Amino acid sequence: MLLTYHIHEVSPYINWIYFFHAWGFQPRFAGISQIHGCDGCRASWLAAFPEEERAKAAEAMQLYKEAHRMLDGLDREFRVRSVFRLCRAQADGDDLLLDGIRLPLLRQQTVRKEGEPYLCLSDFVRPLSAGIPDTVGAFASSVDIAMEQMYAHDPYQHLLVQTLADRLAEAATEKMHEYVHKEAWGYAPREDLPLADLLLEKFQGIRPAVGYPSLPDQSVNFLLDQLLDMKQIGITLTDNGAMHPHASVCGLMFAHPAARYFSVGRIGEDQFQDYARRRGIPAEQLRKFLAANLN
């Protein structure tokens, strides 16, 4: 299903902590996004900082103001798009079967606490042996590519529009996922979370994106593209599986109440060779995608 959003529809879903992080601000400075915009509230927010941090807080306040001014301008010209597919799914060991496409996954080989399970995303899906199909969602979101190319001759404005584009792609994903788990998939129809809790991912299920710790292999993008036909929202893939526009995100959606995020972390050569075999990709070709995970 294809969804097209106006920027003013998704901007309330922006997680400003990550926006400010991209500019080198610590999370506490993102608090400017939580206050009323009147002069009195802004002054009170500023006064709450220690004197030595007020200049930095004022800088964050100005950046937030300029970001909103830019969002208002972008809203007149651009849209943000998401596409998702709810797939008939079954787990076959450490693989997922999604509408006939086999998606091999990686399992943890180290855990943080003794007695914890060694997790794989396939653990949150009914096994093939159960004979009962499950559901897993696949998704992708992106901005118009022209948005990323704006202000090429103004380094500050160019960086501002790029960081906003990244946040808008993530915000569209958040809004799309809310619609999926409450209506389209409907596994949590009565879930009524405040927006702040939604951004803290307190909803049922998980939404790991490609490149995140539980789904670290960027070449998975090629498999998701087979499911989603991402070019319909303007996403193309490089030979290395990178998405273009850069302000794009794709991944999977799981509904299981026990599903949680985890990090695959380091894997041994034995699992890597098994994974390459399951992916049907020569090990040396696949190694570049998992360099950070290999011992």
Side-chain angles (χ1 to χ4, degrees):
M1 183 174 182
L2 177 64
L3 300 171
T4 299
Y5 298 115
H6 291 274
I7 286 174
H8 70 264
E9 293 179 291
V10 299
S11 57
Y13 293 79
I14 290 176
N15 190 324
W16 289 99
I17 289 176
Y18 294 111
F19 170 83
F20 280 104
H21 174 76
W23 285 85
F25 288 89
Q26 294 176 309
R28 62 182 178 275
F29 294 104
I32 184 64
S33 66
Q34 302 298 318
I35 68 165
H36 189 273
C38 69
D39 291 342
C41 291
R42 289 159 66 91
S44 296
W45 179 80
L46 194 62
F49 283 88
E51 187 172 352
E52 63 273 15
E53 291 187 343
R54 285 178 192 164
K56 188 76 171 178
E59 186 182 345
M61 184 184 296
Q62 182 63 26
L63 178 62
Y64 183 66
K65 181 179 179 180
E66 291 172 359
H68 271 278
R69 185 184 299 123
M70 182 172 283
L71 285 172
D72 289 341
L74 296 174
D75 194 29
R76 293 189 289 269
E77 298 184 49
F78 299 106
R79 302 291 180 266
V80 191
R81 295 177 176 85
S82 294
V83 60
F84 70 88
R85 177 171 173 174
L86 301 180
C87 305
R88 179 187 174 99
Q90 293 172 302
D92 185 13
D94 290 351
D95 295 355
L96 284 180
L97 304 177
L98 302 178
D99 283 348
I101 292 177
R102 182 173 290 270
L103 198 164
L105 298 165
L106 291 163
R107 183 174 295 277
Q108 288 176 310
Q109 291 191 291
T110 58
V111 293
R112 292 183 178 180
K113 296 180 181 178
E114 186 176 351
E116 285 189 342
Y118 296 86
L119 293 175
C120 178
L121 288 173
S122 61
D123 295 343
F124 307 129
V125 180
R126 286 194 189 101
L128 183 63
S129 60
I132 303 172
D134 206 339
T135 301
V136 168
F139 73 87
S141 300
S142 187
V143 302
D144 289 333
I145 192 169
M147 187 190 299
E148 289 189 331
Q149 299 168 344
M150 295 177 70
Y151 308 109
H153 303 294
D154 184 332
Y156 173 76
Q157 295 289 330
H158 187 58
L159 181 58
L160 183 57
V161 78
Q162 285 185 316
T163 49
L164 284 174
D166 287 340
R167 290 301 99 216
L168 287 169
E170 294 282 0
T173 300
E174 197 72 71
K175 185 172 178 63
M176 173 274 299
H177 192 206
E178 182 184 38
Y179 167 67
V180 167
H181 67 244
K182 292 175 72 173
E183 297 184 47
W185 188 345
Y187 63 82
R190 290 180 293 277
E191 191 172 77
D192 188 22
L193 295 174
L195 190 54
D197 286 347
L198 196 69
L199 296 180
L200 290 172
E201 299 180 333
K202 292 185 178 181
F203 44 74
Q204 180 180 322
I206 58 173
R207 190 185 67 235
V210 175
Y212 280 43
S214 57
L215 198 57
D217 178 7
Q218 186 171 267
S219 75
V220 166
N221 284 343
F222 294 116
L223 297 176
L224 292 181
D225 193 28
Q226 292 180 46
L227 287 166
L228 295 168
D229 186 21
M230 289 191 270
K231 67 178 180 292
Q232 66 180 310
I233 61 169
I235 296 176
T236 58
L237 301 179
T238 69
D239 291 342
N240 290 326
M243 290 183 290
H244 190 66
H246 178 269
S248 303
V249 59
C250 68
L252 299 170
M253 297 178 283
F254 297 84
H256 197 293
R260 61 182 176 89
Y261 293 104
F262 62 91
S263 176
V264 167
R266 294 285 183 173
I267 62 172
E269 185 67 16
D270 56 343
Q271 183 177 186
F272 171 71
Q273 292 293 337
D274 174 69
Y275 181 68
R277 176 188 59 78
R278 289 185 285 125
R279 283 297 313 272
I281 296 177
E284 291 312 308
Q285 180 180 337
L286 189 60
R287 197 175 295 276
K288 65 183 178 181
F289 293 106
L290 290 170
N293 297 84
L294 296 176
N295 288 319

